[in-house]
Amino acid sequence: MSEELKARTLKVEDLIEYQKGAVVSKEIIRKGTGTVTIFAFDKGEGLSEHTAPFDAMVQIIDGKAEITISGNKNFLEKGEMIIMPANESHELHATERFKMILTMIRS
């Protein structure tokens, strides 16, 4: 974690910028017990179907996203969150550009 982020009030959506045609990520916290990462997805971008060995919580902080978990499509917008269960396939797609916080907890 960057020292300039510690012990100060931050506007999370300002910590990462959109880039045309890209998915941008920035790790905020990395510990043995988990990570917190922010992402910015340009419209039409995404992460292909995959699994993770840990539960993960996605919080949308700007825009709208389509998150599919085990074949079930979920449409989220700013202020909403979803928990992606460990070992279940999931993928993310930017129906319009969006930013999110990904919190992964290791068990």
Side-chain angles (χ1 to χ4, degrees):
M1 170 182 2
S2 178
E3 289 300 314
E4 79 261 8
L5 300 179
K6 290 184 179 180
R8 45 182 292 234
T9 302
L10 303 163
K11 191 168 184 181
V12 68
E13 62 264 26
D14 292 343
L15 293 178
I16 195 162
E17 298 298 325
Y18 292 107
Q19 289 184 17
K20 187 165 181 59
V23 176
V24 181
S25 66
K26 181 177 182 180
E27 194 169 74
I28 302 299
I29 298 173
R30 174 181 283 279
K31 301 285 183 182
T33 52
T35 59
V36 176
T37 307
I38 54 176
F39 289 82
F41 291 74
D42 194 19
K43 182 177 182 175
E45 297 299 317
L47 296 177
S48 61
E49 186 175 36
H50 63 282
T51 61
F54 312 107
D55 288 340
M57 181 175 68
V58 170
Q59 298 169 273
I60 306 300
I61 56 174
D62 187 44
K64 295 182 181 178
E66 177 185 304
I67 299 176
T68 304
I69 301 172
S70 297
N72 297 312
K73 291 185 183 223
N74 300 274
F75 298 91
L76 289 86
E77 58 187 51
K78 183 178 181 174
E80 296 181 325
M81 61 168 272
I82 194 164
I83 296 172
M84 301 183 300
N87 304 310
E88 288 194 32
S89 64
H90 54 272
E91 60 185 295
L92 295 88
H93 179 74
T95 55
E96 64 179 58
R97 65 185 200 168
F98 77 97
K99 294 180 182 180
M100 70 178 208
I101 302 170
L102 175 68
T103 304
M104 191 147 31
I105 306 297
R106 293 178 171 84
S107 54

